[in-house]
Amino acid sequence: MSKKKQSSGCPCGLSASFDECCGRYIDAGVLAPTAESLMRSRYAAYTMNNGEYLLASWHQSTRPVELDLSREERFVKWLSLDVLSTQAGGESDEAGVVEFVARYKVNGRAQRLHEISRFRKEEGRWFYVDGDAEEG
């Protein structure tokens, strides 16, 4: 279960409420229909320190054994997500790529994560596989 819900738009940056947007995937068990919707829901899960959802949406071939978000809960504040591009990753695709920039603060200091993430769909379900990330 998520720790916070926002009524004035989803943490992923879309104007729909959390329940209408990423909450469907995180809390209600609806499968994300595209690679981008999964990526947005994973960002929202990071803003809520929801490691359970992150692990469940991570492809088994690259999924870590555990995900400790306790440090992030104390020191990281996620600020915004900008999706720069998507390649494939639609409802009829089996793979997709999403490029994004996430902005956050660590101990009050602004940071930026630019990632090109790869996704794979198996048995109708999208999974995050891996990504090329640049932080700064």
Side-chain angles (χ1 to χ4, degrees):
M1 203 58 149
S2 62
K3 290 185 181 177
K4 74 175 180 183
K5 296 183 182 181
Q6 296 183 356
S7 59
S8 62
C10 188
C12 80
L14 297 179
S15 61
S17 72
F18 172 78
D19 289 337
E20 294 170 339
C21 194
C22 294
R24 298 180 291 170
Y25 314 126
I26 296 171
D27 290 339
V30 174
L31 297 180
T34 66
E36 181 179 334
S37 60
L38 179 66
M39 188 281 305
R40 286 182 177 280
S41 69
R42 287 176 54 82
Y43 172 84
Y46 270 108
T47 71
M48 298 177 283
N49 297 308
N50 187 331
E52 184 178 329
Y53 179 77
L54 292 167
L55 288 171
S57 61
W58 212 310
H59 193 269
Q60 63 165 344
S61 67
T62 57
R63 180 186 311 132
V65 174
E66 62 184 8
L67 191 59
D68 181 9
L69 298 177
S70 60
R71 178 184 181 276
E72 286 169 32
E73 190 167 10
R74 291 191 308 262
F75 302 112
V76 177
K77 177 174 174 50
W78 293 96
L79 303 172
S80 68
L81 173 69
D82 294 311
V83 175
L84 303 178
S85 68
T86 59
Q87 297 172 4
E91 293 185 42
S92 62
D93 295 316
E94 297 298 318
V97 175
V98 179
E99 180 179 9
F100 67 90
V101 171
R103 289 180 175 73
Y104 60 99
K105 286 186 177 181
V106 178
N107 289 328
R109 188 171 180 200
Q111 301 288 317
R112 176 182 182 272
L113 169 67
H114 177 207
E115 182 168 320
I116 298 172
S117 298
R118 288 173 284 281
F119 296 85
R120 183 178 310 151
K121 185 163 65 171
E122 294 180 353
E123 298 180 9
R125 184 174 179 179
W126 283 102
F127 293 94
Y128 168 77
V129 177
D130 61 13
D132 298 321
E134 179 181 302
E135 292 190 63

